[in-house]
Structures are given as C-alpha cells and as structure tokens.
Amino acid sequence: MAATALCWALRAARQALPSLCPGQVRSYYVDWRMLRDVKRRRLAYEYADERLRINAIRKNSILPKELQEVADKEIAALPRDSCPSRIHNRCVLTSRPRGLRRRWRLSRIVFRHFADHAQMSGVQRAMW
Amino acid sequence: EKDESTSSKDSTTKGAPKRQEGTAGTPKQKLLDIIGNMKVEVSYRRKLQELKASESKKQAMNRLEGPDSEGPQRNTEDIQRGRPLNAELVKAASAVASSLPLNKKQTESELLAQLRRHEETTDKQRKGGTVNIRNVISEMTVKRQSPAQRGVRISHRISLELDEDGQRIRPERFSSQSFDSRRSLKVGKRLNIFTKASTEPEHALKTVSSPTIWDLEFAKEIAAITAQPPRNGFEEMIQWTKEGILWEFPIDNEVGMDDDAEFHEHIFLEKHLEGFPKEGPIRHFMELVICGLSKNPYLSVKQKIEHIEWFEKYFEEKKEFLQEI
C-alpha cells in the first residue's frame, strides 16, 4: 500500500514548466490530505456514469425489488473513493478545509491577502 | 573535333601502359599519325557543317566496312543506333586493339561500343540544346517603349518627391497589366524546363513517422526561445486568444459545440430499444430512461447511446436471475 501511495504521489507531483510571468511555481500538492482529495475527485469522475446508472435502477418503483437489492450490492462493491459525497472542497493554495470562497477556490485568509495586494480582478474593499 | 580527341585520349590511356612493353611497330605509328592528324575544332557552326557533310560519307564507308568487321552483329547495332561512327575512330580503335596483347577482336568491339555511347550522349545534348533554345526564343518578343511613356518614366526617375512615389506606382501597374492582357501565361508550347516537385509528400511522410524524444525536446526549446514576451497590449491579447483565455470576437455562441447530430437523433431514441422485451417492467423502465435522455441537452448522441447499451448489457447478464423471479 505504501508503495502504491508513493507511486501515486510521484505521478501526482508534476513539475510546473517555467513560465514567462514570475509567480508562484508549485511543483507538489500542498499536503497529503489535498492529494487524497485529488484521488477522490478522479475516481468519482471515472465511476460517475456507472453510479448514475446503478442508482437509476435502485431508486425505482417499477423494477422488481430483488433486482434493486442486487444493484445495491453492486454499488457497494465499487471503490469507496468513487463516491462524490466524499469530495470536500479545500483551498487550492493552502489546503484549508474550512472558510472557503467557492468562486475562487481559496480560503478566506489567502483571498484577503491577494485582494489587499490588488491581485484579484474586480475585488474591492466594501464601503457603504 | 572535341569528342573524337577525348575518345582518342581514352583509347591512348588504355594503350599507354602496354606500349612500353610492345615494340615500336607499324600499328602504333599508324595510331600516332591518326592522332596527329586530328585537330581541335573551336567554332560550333563549322562542326555542325562538317558533321552533316561527313555523315553521308561515313554511312557509305560503314556500309563498305560492314562486311569486313566482326559479322552481322555490328551491322544491326549500327542500324539501331542510327548515327554511324567516324571512320577515323574505327581505324584508331582497330590500331589500338592490334597493339594490345589480349584478344584483339573483343577489345576492338568494346572500344567501338564505348565510342558509340559517347556519340550518343553528345548527340542527345546537342539535339536537346538546340530545340529548347529555339522554343524559348520563339515565344519572346522585343519590348518596345512608346516615346510618351519613355518620357514619363525618365521624369519619374529624376523626381524624388513623396507625392510622386504613389503616382509612380500606378502608371507602371497599368502598363504591366496591359502587357499581361496581350500575352497570357498559359498560351504556347510547354518548354519543360521546370519539373514538378513531386518528392514533397514523401519527405513529409518520412519526418512524421519517427519523431524521437530529442526532436521533441529540440522543438520545445525552439518554441520557448521564439516565444518573446508581448511588446504591447495587442500582442498580449493575441497571446491570450491563442491560449484560450480570451474569447474570439464577434462572440460565437457555438464554440466548442461540435454536435453534428440533428435534433431527431436526440429525441427519437426508440429505435435503440430493439434489444429489450416488448412488454414488462423492463420495457416500462427503459421508456422512462429514453424520455429522460431525450430531454437532456447536455449529453451528446453518443453518450446517450452508450447509456442505453449499458442497460442492455446489464439486463442481459441478469436474465437468468430475472427468470427465477
């Protein structure tokens, strides 16, 4: 398991190409929790269609109940990380699980930092 | 004549290493006399005239010499070539062959074959050259300047003001257009000077089949070096449009939507339901599925068909289980 996790981490750690504009160059995910979240998102994307179809059979009043029980067992057999409800939005820069602004995918602290330095387009301090 | 002298030089170089061995006999003296008699002709017209005059003589001589030579083979060859060899060359070849210690008849025939090849190539060159030049010149005409236009052009050349620059271009353009109307490009015989570059697709195929890692790295390096930072706002916007950050204006609502299917393929999906039983809860369920898919504008026709096919497979697998019920 450790070996597979390492392999996954190595695959995940992509080197960012040096771009012209100087900014943050991040070559790794911020922490392991972020990595796990990334894995969950990938699996959820892969199994999305299958889950949708099996759920369509399950949440049904027409098909016989035995068939629906079989479908229940099938969906439970899928990998646990393929469930979309296990995805938790985290800050893209700091991996903070709470205090997130969904539109920018950033935590409140990072958002405030960039907005004060005028690096967020169209964001202004509120005054009324 | 030049070709005769060159061919004689070839024959003499062959005979040179052997001469030292042999005695100073009569055939060698004959050879030297023949070579000494040959002159290098400079003027081309005299050569042509002499060729034409001597052709008839040589044909006669060859017919006489034919029965003397090594049988009917050479006769047929001569007739095939059309252009008979020079009598002097034949004599020189026979003299050289006699001076060599090897099989005389074989060497003589080989030498004569070589001479014939030389003659052929020179004939081809000569004939080709004259024909091409004649064709090229026939199409050309002398360009004549009218005195009025001539005066205008001289005056334009002298004046250097900026206003005249714009005006200078226009009358020249008109004159070139008028010339083109008189002489179109596709009229006349084809000169066959240029050949079509038909080797390009082969080269393209060769390069595409083997892009090595080094080639890719080199291409990346070049792209990185040539990608200079934008000098102004316009170039920045161009770069962003290329990357996809900026949309193309005027805004096209259907960018990225390459759905080639018509509306009826999205809505009328009953034809995909042929694999299912016609009655029963499964059919009822699939009809509901189709109703939902037909109302879905976000999926492509392929995705919808994939959904239906998955259900088909699933129910096929569960057939035995279903029949137990």
Short mmCIF file of all heavy atoms in Angstrom, two decimals, chain B residues 276-299:
data_model
loop_
_atom_site.label_atom_id
_atom_site.label_comp_id
_atom_site.label_asym_id
_atom_site.label_seq_id
_atom_site.Cartn_x
_atom_site.Cartn_y
_atom_site.Cartn_z
N PHE B 276 -34.63 -4.99 -26.24
CA PHE B 276 -35.37 -5.24 -24.99
C PHE B 276 -36.69 -5.94 -25.27
O PHE B 276 -37.25 -5.82 -26.36
CB PHE B 276 -35.65 -3.89 -24.30
CG PHE B 276 -34.40 -3.21 -23.82
CD1 PHE B 276 -33.78 -2.26 -24.60
CD2 PHE B 276 -33.85 -3.54 -22.60
CE1 PHE B 276 -32.63 -1.64 -24.17
CE2 PHE B 276 -32.70 -2.90 -22.15
CZ PHE B 276 -32.10 -1.96 -22.93
N PRO B 277 -37.22 -6.69 -24.30
CA PRO B 277 -38.54 -7.30 -24.47
C PRO B 277 -39.63 -6.21 -24.58
O PRO B 277 -39.52 -5.14 -24.01
CB PRO B 277 -38.72 -8.12 -23.19
CG PRO B 277 -37.76 -7.56 -22.23
CD PRO B 277 -36.60 -7.03 -23.01
N LYS B 278 -40.67 -6.54 -25.35
CA LYS B 278 -41.65 -5.51 -25.68
C LYS B 278 -42.63 -5.24 -24.55
O LYS B 278 -43.27 -4.21 -24.53
CB LYS B 278 -42.40 -5.92 -26.95
CG LYS B 278 -41.51 -5.83 -28.17
CD LYS B 278 -42.28 -5.69 -29.45
CE LYS B 278 -41.31 -5.52 -30.61
NZ LYS B 278 -41.99 -5.45 -31.89
N GLU B 279 -42.77 -6.18 -23.65
CA GLU B 279 -43.69 -5.95 -22.53
C GLU B 279 -42.97 -6.21 -21.22
O GLU B 279 -41.95 -6.87 -21.19
CB GLU B 279 -44.90 -6.91 -22.64
CG GLU B 279 -45.87 -6.47 -23.73
CD GLU B 279 -47.00 -7.48 -23.87
OE1 GLU B 279 -46.98 -8.51 -23.18
OE2 GLU B 279 -47.88 -7.20 -24.70
N GLY B 280 -43.51 -5.68 -20.17
CA GLY B 280 -42.91 -5.96 -18.87
C GLY B 280 -42.34 -4.73 -18.23
O GLY B 280 -42.27 -3.65 -18.83
N PRO B 281 -41.89 -4.89 -16.99
CA PRO B 281 -41.36 -3.73 -16.25
C PRO B 281 -40.09 -3.17 -16.85
O PRO B 281 -39.84 -1.96 -16.78
CB PRO B 281 -41.13 -4.29 -14.85
CG PRO B 281 -41.04 -5.76 -15.02
CD PRO B 281 -41.86 -6.12 -16.19
N ILE B 282 -39.29 -4.05 -17.48
CA ILE B 282 -38.02 -3.54 -18.05
C ILE B 282 -38.30 -2.56 -19.18
O ILE B 282 -37.68 -1.49 -19.29
CB ILE B 282 -37.16 -4.72 -18.56
CG1 ILE B 282 -36.69 -5.57 -17.38
CG2 ILE B 282 -35.97 -4.20 -19.33
CD1 ILE B 282 -35.98 -6.82 -17.76
N ARG B 283 -39.28 -2.90 -20.00
CA ARG B 283 -39.62 -2.01 -21.11
C ARG B 283 -40.15 -0.68 -20.59
O ARG B 283 -39.79 0.40 -21.10
CB ARG B 283 -40.68 -2.69 -21.99
CG ARG B 283 -41.10 -1.90 -23.20
CD ARG B 283 -40.12 -2.07 -24.31
NE ARG B 283 -40.43 -1.20 -25.44
CZ ARG B 283 -39.88 -1.31 -26.61
NH1 ARG B 283 -38.97 -2.24 -26.83
NH2 ARG B 283 -40.22 -0.49 -27.57
N HIS B 284 -40.95 -0.78 -19.56
CA HIS B 284 -41.50 0.42 -18.93
C HIS B 284 -40.36 1.31 -18.42
O HIS B 284 -40.32 2.53 -18.65
CB HIS B 284 -42.41 -0.03 -17.80
CG HIS B 284 -43.23 1.09 -17.20
ND1 HIS B 284 -43.55 2.24 -17.87
CD2 HIS B 284 -43.79 1.18 -15.97
CE1 HIS B 284 -44.27 3.01 -17.10
NE2 HIS B 284 -44.43 2.41 -15.93
N PHE B 285 -39.42 0.66 -17.75
CA PHE B 285 -38.26 1.37 -17.20
C PHE B 285 -37.44 2.02 -18.30
O PHE B 285 -37.04 3.18 -18.21
CB PHE B 285 -37.42 0.37 -16.40
CG PHE B 285 -36.10 0.92 -15.94
CD1 PHE B 285 -36.04 1.83 -14.91
CD2 PHE B 285 -34.92 0.51 -16.54
CE1 PHE B 285 -34.82 2.35 -14.50
CE2 PHE B 285 -33.70 1.00 -16.12
CZ PHE B 285 -33.64 1.93 -15.10
N MET B 286 -37.19 1.29 -19.39
CA MET B 286 -36.36 1.84 -20.47
C MET B 286 -37.06 2.99 -21.18
O MET B 286 -36.40 3.92 -21.63
CB MET B 286 -36.01 0.73 -21.47
CG MET B 286 -34.97 -0.24 -20.99
SD MET B 286 -33.54 0.51 -20.20
CE MET B 286 -32.81 1.37 -21.56
N GLU B 287 -38.37 2.90 -21.27
CA GLU B 287 -39.08 4.03 -21.91
C GLU B 287 -38.94 5.29 -21.07
O GLU B 287 -38.78 6.40 -21.61
CB GLU B 287 -40.56 3.67 -22.10
CG GLU B 287 -40.77 2.82 -23.35
CD GLU B 287 -42.20 2.36 -23.48
OE1 GLU B 287 -43.05 2.80 -22.69
OE2 GLU B 287 -42.45 1.54 -24.38
N LEU B 288 -38.94 5.13 -19.76
CA LEU B 288 -38.71 6.28 -18.89
C LEU B 288 -37.29 6.83 -19.08
O LEU B 288 -37.08 8.05 -19.13
CB LEU B 288 -38.90 5.90 -17.43
CG LEU B 288 -40.34 5.71 -16.94
CD1 LEU B 288 -40.34 5.22 -15.51
CD2 LEU B 288 -41.11 7.02 -17.04
N VAL B 289 -36.34 5.90 -19.19
CA VAL B 289 -34.94 6.31 -19.41
C VAL B 289 -34.83 7.13 -20.70
O VAL B 289 -34.19 8.19 -20.74
CB VAL B 289 -34.03 5.05 -19.48
CG1 VAL B 289 -32.69 5.39 -20.08
CG2 VAL B 289 -33.84 4.45 -18.11
N ILE B 290 -35.50 6.63 -21.75
CA ILE B 290 -35.41 7.33 -23.04
C ILE B 290 -36.06 8.70 -22.97
O ILE B 290 -35.56 9.68 -23.53
CB ILE B 290 -36.05 6.45 -24.14
CG1 ILE B 290 -35.01 5.47 -24.64
CG2 ILE B 290 -36.59 7.28 -25.27
CD1 ILE B 290 -35.59 4.33 -25.39
N CYS B 291 -37.16 8.77 -22.23
CA CYS B 291 -37.84 10.06 -22.08
C CYS B 291 -36.91 11.06 -21.42
O CYS B 291 -36.78 12.21 -21.86
CB CYS B 291 -39.11 9.86 -21.24
SG CYS B 291 -40.00 11.39 -20.94
N GLY B 292 -36.22 10.61 -20.37
CA GLY B 292 -35.28 11.50 -19.68
C GLY B 292 -34.12 11.91 -20.56
O GLY B 292 -33.72 13.08 -20.60
N LEU B 293 -33.57 10.97 -21.32
CA LEU B 293 -32.42 11.29 -22.18
C LEU B 293 -32.80 12.26 -23.29
O LEU B 293 -32.01 13.13 -23.66
CB LEU B 293 -31.87 10.00 -22.81
CG LEU B 293 -31.03 9.10 -21.91
CD1 LEU B 293 -30.66 7.83 -22.64
CD2 LEU B 293 -29.78 9.80 -21.44
N SER B 294 -34.02 12.12 -23.80
CA SER B 294 -34.42 13.00 -24.90
C SER B 294 -34.54 14.44 -24.42
O SER B 294 -34.39 15.37 -25.20
CB SER B 294 -35.74 12.53 -25.50
OG SER B 294 -36.77 12.68 -24.56
N LYS B 295 -34.82 14.60 -23.12
CA LYS B 295 -34.94 15.97 -22.60
C LYS B 295 -33.61 16.54 -22.15
O LYS B 295 -33.57 17.68 -21.70
CB LYS B 295 -35.91 15.97 -21.42
CG LYS B 295 -37.34 15.68 -21.82
CD LYS B 295 -38.25 15.78 -20.62
CE LYS B 295 -39.62 15.30 -21.00
NZ LYS B 295 -40.56 15.35 -19.85
N ASN B 296 -32.53 15.78 -22.27
CA ASN B 296 -31.24 16.21 -21.77
C ASN B 296 -30.45 16.91 -22.88
O ASN B 296 -30.06 16.28 -23.86
CB ASN B 296 -30.46 14.97 -21.28
CG ASN B 296 -29.22 15.37 -20.52
OD1 ASN B 296 -28.67 16.46 -20.70
ND2 ASN B 296 -28.77 14.48 -19.67
N PRO B 297 -30.22 18.21 -22.75
CA PRO B 297 -29.47 18.90 -23.81
C PRO B 297 -27.96 18.86 -23.63
O PRO B 297 -27.22 19.30 -24.50
CB PRO B 297 -29.96 20.35 -23.68
CG PRO B 297 -30.26 20.49 -22.24
CD PRO B 297 -30.68 19.14 -21.72
N TYR B 298 -27.48 18.33 -22.52
CA TYR B 298 -26.05 18.40 -22.21
C TYR B 298 -25.27 17.20 -22.71
O TYR B 298 -24.05 17.25 -22.81
CB TYR B 298 -25.84 18.54 -20.70
CG TYR B 298 -26.53 19.76 -20.14
CD1 TYR B 298 -27.65 19.63 -19.36
CD2 TYR B 298 -26.03 21.04 -20.41
CE1 TYR B 298 -28.29 20.75 -18.85
CE2 TYR B 298 -26.65 22.16 -19.91
CZ TYR B 298 -27.78 22.01 -19.12
OH TYR B 298 -28.40 23.12 -18.62
N LEU B 299 -25.99 16.12 -23.02
CA LEU B 299 -25.26 14.93 -23.48
C LEU B 299 -25.24 14.88 -24.99
O LEU B 299 -26.19 15.33 -25.65
CB LEU B 299 -25.94 13.65 -22.96
CG LEU B 299 -25.95 13.44 -21.46
CD1 LEU B 299 -26.68 12.15 -21.13
CD2 LEU B 299 -24.55 13.37 -20.91
#
